[in-house]
Amino acid sequence: MPIKTALITGTSRAAGLGFAVARDLAEHGYHVVLTARDRSAAEPLAERLRQDGHAATALRLDLSDRASIDEAADYLTQTFSHLDALINNASAMPDYQTLSALEADMDALRSALEVSVVGPWGLTEAMLPLLTAAPAARIVNVTSLSAQQIATGLDLGAPLRSPAYSMAKYLLNALTTVLARALKDTPILVNAVDPGNTATHPERGDDATDRPAAESARDIVRAATLGADGPTGELFSNGYPAA
């Protein structure tokens, strides 16, 4: 049986969620492909996994660059021939201090949409031949509770925190549903996972209540390893379908 393969976007930081997901999947026997806009950021992390006896590869992947996406797809086609799990983990939060949609920076919005919506959409299309070549591939879109500010309707007296980031994650959730519907006649399952507040930025002073990255990663890996009877088009939060 061919080794299972997984591609994880946004794996440039040792403390990041992407690396925690990569390690967990590697421990499940996957050959993990760690990607970042700068390959030199992902390579030391891949080397750490290799030193621990896991199969890992570092690859440059810039979600805002279509040529980069196509190059990654070509590399995987030539190297693995199939892809069992695509984890759209990369994220951009360029407006975390903005508290009003009327103060949104359009450059920040474009950046957030490129990384969280346009990029994952294009990457899924590019990887589709590899995903369909796997026996039962899984696509996991890593989302955020911030999207719920829009999905559930805003209290008129409440600020919309990080409007560009929140809108991008809201649209990523919608994309999850759209892709699940498009792939409903295939074995591929597509789900979104909100990992909750996660301690991935010690340099910024993570909150004491933030979950360890390894704990949050388990929810993502669970969605990436669902059985044939698993759900599709769902949003999961803390390991359970979101209300």
Side-chain angles (χ1 to χ4, degrees), residues 9 37 61-69 88-94 106-124 164-165 167-169 171-172 175:
T9 66
R37 284 177 294 181
L61 178 57
D62 183 346
L63 291 172
S64 66
D65 181 355
R66 181 66 202 201
S68 173
I69 290 174
N88 287 309
N89 167 73
S91 188
M93 194 175 189
M106 292 300 103
D107 288 336
L109 176 60
R110 291 185 186 93
S111 174
L113 291 175
E114 281 284 354
V115 174
S116 291
V117 185
V118 180
W121 197 338
L123 183 61
T124 300
Y165 174 79
M167 181 62 74
K169 290 301 187 180
L171 292 175
L172 179 63
L175 177 62

Side-chain angles (χ1 to χ4, degrees), residues 186-211:
T186 77
I188 301 172
L189 303 180
V190 189
N191 291 288
V193 175
D194 166 25
N197 293 331
T198 304
T200 57
H201 286 282
E203 77 284 358
R204 292 206 305 242
D206 292 320
D207 291 338
T209 56
D210 288 352
R211 303 171 77 191

Side-chain angles (χ1 to χ4, degrees), residues 65-128:
D65 181 355
R66 181 66 202 201
S68 173
I69 290 174
D70 290 340
E71 288 169 6
D74 288 344
Y75 174 83
L76 263 71
T77 299
Q78 295 169 15
T79 307
F80 301 108
S81 78
H82 70 283
L83 183 63
D84 297 278
L86 171 58
I87 314 296
N88 287 309
N89 167 73
S91 188
M93 194 175 189
D95 63 338
Y96 65 94
Q97 293 182 321
T98 305
L99 298 178
S100 171
L102 298 178
E103 297 174 0
D105 182 296
M106 292 300 103
D107 288 336
L109 176 60
R110 291 185 186 93
S111 174
L113 291 175
E114 281 284 354
V115 174
S116 291
V117 185
V118 180
W121 197 338
L123 183 61
T124 300
E125 285 189 344
M127 296 294 173
L128 191 56

Side-chain angles (χ1 to χ4, degrees), residues 3 16 33-34 36 50 58 78 97 114 117 130 146 192-193 199 222:
I3 187 171
V33 181
L34 288 70
R50 290 193 294 266
Q78 295 169 15
Q97 293 182 321
E114 281 284 354
V117 185
L130 291 161
S146 295
V193 175
R222 188 177 298 115

Side-chain angles (χ1 to χ4, degrees), residues 21-22 43 49 83 85-86 109 118-119 121 135 137 144 162-163 185 236-237:
V21 171
E43 177 56 38
L49 293 179
L83 183 63
L86 171 58
L109 176 60
V118 180
W121 197 338
S144 168
S162 306
D185 294 325
F236 290 87
S237 180

Side-chain angles (χ1 to χ4, degrees), residues 145-157:
L145 185 62
S146 295
Q148 296 301 100
Q149 296 181 94
I150 299 169
T152 59
L154 290 171
D155 177 337
L156 292 181

